[in-house]
Structure formats: structure tokens, C-alpha cells
Amino acid sequence: MALAAATALAAETTPAISGDYLEVRSCDVYTGYCFANSEMNLAGKEATMFWTVREGAWNGTKLDGLGVMAVVKADGTLGDLKYEPRSASAVLIVDAKADAKQRLALADFARSMAGKLITKVVDVKSAPIEAKLATCAKLGCASVKAGDLVEISTSCLGGKHDVCGNEETYYPPLTKVNGAYPIFTEMATFTGSGLDCTWQIAGKRSAFLASFSVDPKADSSVQLSSLLR
């Protein structure tokens, strides 16, 4: 009986789905107030949010080893704590390795994680996704490629990236995470259609790495775990 109870408790507390998360913005997220104010409403309207699943299921569909990406364009600087953008559009990119049922689950998972940011999905595309996250000793190096639509490479932040001397993590991540840490965007591009624009970002302190662990049965809120393990 004790073994059965312990097994049942473990099943109740095991997250339904977990993995790693990369976010890249078109404005500095690690910066000083002077730099942030100079970019406000001029930059930061675009973002790429990427989830790669280590293990787990969504809506009863196993998603182990698959990824999904939301490429977002808003009408104001994303993450502005005082003036939230009034609307946002998104292109979802689901892993080409996924079958039809998994693609639907991945798209729904991204919508749930990003919330109101991607309530207006203008297109859902399928592409082969190659991802390596936190590949260096300091866990800041990452590379992601989604077909010919998105390409991202990052590295660790260091003292050479402090420009004005009072830098901090000025903006929070666009989805709820615990302990997310800022990293340096070497390059990030979006060359797809659907958002009436494309972009190339280089040399900005504009990205985050984290991990996620979600139990959709717990409640309607997104609960996320600690950093990359």
C-alpha cells in the first residue's frame, strides 16, 4: 500500500511536459535605463520564442524531442511594463518531425505558453528545426535553425558587454520563467512571410535562456521550473 501511494504521489507531482526555452528580442533586455529609453517604441517590437521539449505530452500527445517557435510582431516595445502593446501577430513554426496530431499539440502548447502575445496567429508553418542550447561552460551559447525561416546564434554576456556601467535585466522574459538569465545575440534572423516584415538582429544583449516544466492539469496558469540543468 505504501509503495502504491508513493507511486501515485510521484505521478501526481511529475510535470506533464518539460524542456528548454530560448527567447530573442529586437531590443536589449540587459541594459541601462539610458539605452532602454532610447529604444522604447522604436525597437523591441519583434521577438522569437522557442520551446524545445525534452519529454512529456500536451493534450495527451507525446512531444518528446520536438520543438515549436513563435515569431512575434507587436505594435509597441514588447515587455514594456508600463505600456503593453495593444496587439500582436505571430507566425508559429512547428517541427517538421512532428506528425499531424503532434503539430496541433505543439501549436496549442505555444499559444498557451505565450498567452495574449499570440492570440492572433497569422500562419502556422512546418520546418525542420535544429537546436543546441546552453552548449558552453557558462551555458550562454546556443544555436537554432528552423528551415530557411529563422536562424539564431548566441553567446555568453561578459564585462565587455557593459557599456554604461549600470546595466541590469531591464525587461523580463515574455513568458513566465524562474531564474531566466540574459545572453548575447550574435545573430538572429526571420526571413519568412506573414508578418509584413523580416529582420536581422546582430550584436545585441537581447536574449534569454531558461527551462520550462508545466503540468496543464494543475491549473490554468503556467508554472515553470528552475534554470537549465
Side-chain angles (χ1 to χ4, degrees):
M1 290 180 64
L3 178 61
T7 302
L9 179 60
E12 289 176 1
T13 57
T14 300
I17 185 169
S18 61
D20 300 316
Y21 174 74
L22 172 66
E23 176 182 311
V24 179
R25 311 264 277 274
S26 58
C27 68
D28 284 349
V29 297
Y30 176 79
T31 186
Y33 281 85
C34 52
F35 282 86
N37 289 334
S38 69
E39 290 190 318
M40 191 71 66
N41 286 321
L42 298 175
K45 300 178 183 181
E46 300 82 21
T48 302
M49 307 166 72
F50 173 62
W51 299 265
T52 177
V53 180
R54 285 195 298 268
E55 59 181 353
W58 189 260
N59 294 341
T61 301
K62 292 286 287 181
L63 299 177
D64 294 20
L66 299 177
V68 61
M69 187 177 297
V71 184
V72 180
K73 178 190 174 186
D75 65 344
T77 300
L78 290 162
D80 182 357
L81 300 180
K82 294 182 179 179
Y83 304 103
E84 284 292 330
R86 294 183 295 276
S87 63
S89 301
V91 170
L92 298 185
I93 304 172
V94 296
D95 204 319
K97 297 190 299 290
D99 60 29
K101 189 175 181 181
Q102 289 173 323
R103 291 178 187 182
L104 289 174
L106 285 168
D108 186 70
F109 171 75
R111 289 187 183 97
S112 297
M113 295 292 283
K116 65 181 180 179
L117 279 183
I118 58 173
T119 52
K120 184 181 179 182
V121 176
V122 297
D123 198 3
V124 179
K125 302 177 184 290
S126 176
I129 296 178
E130 304 171 17
K132 297 179 180 179
L133 305 185
T135 56
C136 61
K138 293 184 178 180
L139 304 180
C141 300
S143 62
V144 176
K145 187 173 182 181
D148 58 358
L149 302 172
V150 172
E151 187 170 359
I152 298 168
S153 62
T154 71
S155 60
C156 300
L157 281 172
K160 64 181 180 181
H161 298 120
D162 290 341
V163 179
C164 57
N166 63 342
E167 282 83 359
E168 62 180 21
T169 306
Y170 186 88
Y171 292 109
L174 296 174
T175 186
K176 294 180 181 177
V177 291
N178 292 325
Y181 54 96
I183 55 177
F184 188 74
T185 303
E186 298 285 352
M187 180 268 295
T189 64
F190 171 65
T191 56
S193 59
L195 297 178
D196 298 324
C197 70
T198 60
W199 58 80
Q200 179 170 331
I201 301 163
K204 293 188 74 66
R205 303 167 295 179
S206 61
F208 287 108
L209 270 171
S211 67
F212 65 88
S213 180
V214 185
D215 184 357
K217 295 180 180 179
D219 52 49
S220 60
S221 64
V222 176
Q223 298 176 352
L224 294 167
S225 72
S226 59
L227 286 174
L228 291 157
R229 293 181 292 275

